[in-house]
Amino acid sequence: MLALAAAEFAIRYVEGQADLKTDPTFYTLPSPVPSGDPGAIIRSEPIASAPAGSSAWRVIYHSQNLAGEDIPVSGVVIVPDGPAPAGGRTVIAWAHPTTGAAAKCAPSLGLDPFQYIEGLHELLAGGYAIAATDYPGLGVEGESSYLLGVPESNSVMDIVRAARQIDGADASSRVVLWGHSQGGQAVLFAAQRAASYAPELDVEGVAVAAPAADLNALMTDDIVNLSGVTIASLAIPAYTVAYADRFTSDEITAILTPAGEKATPDMAELCLLTQTKELHAIADPLVGGYVTSDPATTEPWKTLLKENSAGGQTVTVPVFVGQGEADELVLPSATEKYVTLLCSQQVDVTFHRYPDVTHGLAAYAALPDLLLWLPTLGSAREPSGDCG
């Protein structure tokens, strides 16, 4: 088994290196990009380094930004080999945790473009197709969508639409949304908006691990530490552009100290997981001196963070929530407060807490329970009693 695993790794490494050489051409689009309906594929190509027993494609597809304008977004689609069941494969729409806000930080650009799909092998073994967006602004050059619920969720649903157009994917209209951290916010917004944005998709449920559901709580909890400085440095440029029709740049950046304002452009160009050392070198000295006040209580940030927090619309499908009790980024208290909100809205909630689990491991800790929850979805499901 070890020999087979080593052989697969070697093959995927060589093929991944070859894939990287084609990336600049694939991600460079004509200007202007011809318009298209949300989910329509602009271009696609097979990925030679797909995991053993699967086929995969890199795709660029049409989606929409906060203003409803047509934009290109990239991502990957992976399906298990072998015949699909009657009616096609249920699609897991995966939304990844924070990797950064610059185009180069896209998961699909990595040597292993599947690296950050938590539960990849288990879900493929279960017969699911996986559609994993990069989010707007990652991969394909464009405006950042960092922690912007509407464009993130649009890209999550539109890659499912794209997957259904790929010959050989056999993707059905049945969808389960699955996201971690930033991805939790993205899929919760997708669940809230699916009926109006993508009514042809049959969303059966939404699962989140340590979700960035309440951005006001997230900022209050984290702005005093390194994580908060990092999150804010990615969000401020994204919000400045996205809300330019409502607020001037000076109004949005007024919360920054002079040192924070100077450092933000440099931090926003770094990738969280591959340039951590460089990012921390800038952010560490700013802890306690990045902003002049708590964004969660300072306008216009108070309003904008609330608008981009989950819960503004009721989710009508079952919700699975996993939370590590040792999480110091998305605090357990914030997730518990969100679950309480869901319960008050009469949502079918399954809530699991994991002792001694930190933020980075929340999705992996939740995976065994998630895999038991997935087969319960559908018209015959008995609602969970976790709100009792």
Side-chain angles (χ1 to χ4, degrees):
M1 290 179 64
L2 288 174
L4 288 172
E8 181 187 351
F9 173 81
I11 292 170
R12 289 185 62 197
Y13 177 82
V14 171
E15 291 173 340
Q17 289 282 8
D19 283 337
L20 288 179
K21 294 178 181 179
T22 68
D23 284 351
T25 301
F26 183 79
Y27 289 87
T28 302
L29 298 177
S31 182
V33 177
S35 61
D37 293 331
I41 293 177
I42 297 171
R43 62 176 54 155
S44 66
E45 66 177 11
I47 302 176
S49 59
S54 72
S55 300
W57 298 264
R58 187 176 283 106
V59 296
I60 299 176
Y61 57 97
H62 291 275
S63 192
Q64 293 184 346
N65 64 11
L66 183 62
E69 299 165 336
D70 181 31
I71 56 171
V73 182
S74 56
V76 298
V77 174
I78 316 101
V79 302
D81 290 339
R89 298 182 174 95
T90 298
V91 181
I92 302 293
W94 165 250
H96 64 82
T98 298
T99 58
K104 63 182 179 181
C105 305
S108 75
L109 278 171
L111 177 62
D112 181 354
F114 320 106
Q115 180 179 359
Y116 302 123
I117 302 175
E118 291 159 317
L120 170 70
H121 297 287
E122 293 86 350
L123 294 169
L124 289 174
Y128 296 98
I130 301 170
T133 183
D134 285 330
Y135 307 136
L138 298 180
V140 179
E141 292 282 352
E143 298 173 0
S144 170
S145 60
Y146 187 69
L147 290 183
L148 292 166
V150 169
E152 285 176 342
S153 65
N154 290 348
S155 69
V156 168
M157 290 183 281
D158 288 330
I159 197 170
V160 176
R161 287 168 158 162
R164 299 189 66 207
Q165 301 167 44
I166 297 175
D167 290 337
D170 293 313
S172 75
S173 61
R174 299 184 307 276
V175 182
V176 179
L177 306 162
W178 165 225
H180 177 197
S181 193
Q182 176 192 357
Q185 179 216 20
V187 296
L188 289 171
F189 263 79
Q192 292 175 181
R193 303 179 58 250
S196 58
Y197 186 78
E200 79 280 12
L201 300 181
D202 177 16
V203 177
E204 296 187 332
V206 54
V208 294
D214 185 339
L215 298 190
N216 296 83
L218 182 72
M219 282 295 179
T220 295
D221 293 338
D222 292 351
I223 197 61
V224 295
N225 58 41
L226 180 61
S227 295
V229 171
T230 302
I231 291 168
S233 74
L234 303 180
I236 286 170
Y239 279 54
T240 299
V241 175
Y243 292 105
D245 61 330
R246 291 169 56 184
F247 303 100
T248 67
S249 175
D250 288 343
E251 288 176 308
I252 291 182
T253 60
I255 198 168
L256 292 171
T257 64
E261 185 171 10
K262 180 180 179 181
T264 294
D266 292 333
M267 287 191 286
E269 286 301 313
L270 297 173
C271 302
L272 184 62
L273 301 178
T274 58
Q275 296 177 300
T276 305
K277 182 178 179 180
E278 296 91 332
L279 184 56
H280 285 185
I282 301 173
D284 266 331
L286 293 172
V287 173
Y290 182 65
V291 293
T292 58
S293 59
D294 181 358
T297 59
T298 306
E299 295 293 359
W301 281 98
K302 178 181 178 180
T303 294
L304 297 181
L305 292 172
K306 183 176 177 60
E307 288 180 10
N308 287 280
S309 294
Q313 297 171 259
T314 301
V315 176
T316 59
V317 297
V319 180
F320 174 100
V321 181
Q323 176 65 43
E325 293 187 343
D327 196 327
E328 296 182 350
L329 188 120
V330 174
L331 299 188
S333 58
T335 299
E336 289 165 3
K337 180 181 176 183
Y338 176 65
V339 169
T340 298
L341 172 62
L342 291 175
C343 290
S344 73
Q345 296 173 336
Q346 308 300 308
V347 178
D348 175 0
V349 182
T350 300
F351 185 27
H352 291 277
R353 303 170 180 84
Y354 303 104
D356 303 319
V357 170
T358 59
H359 186 74
L361 297 177
Y364 290 111
L367 204 54
D369 291 316
L370 173 69
L371 295 173
L372 292 174
W373 177 78
L374 287 172
T376 72
L377 299 176
S379 58
R381 174 180 167 80
E382 291 291 331
S384 167
D386 287 4
C387 287

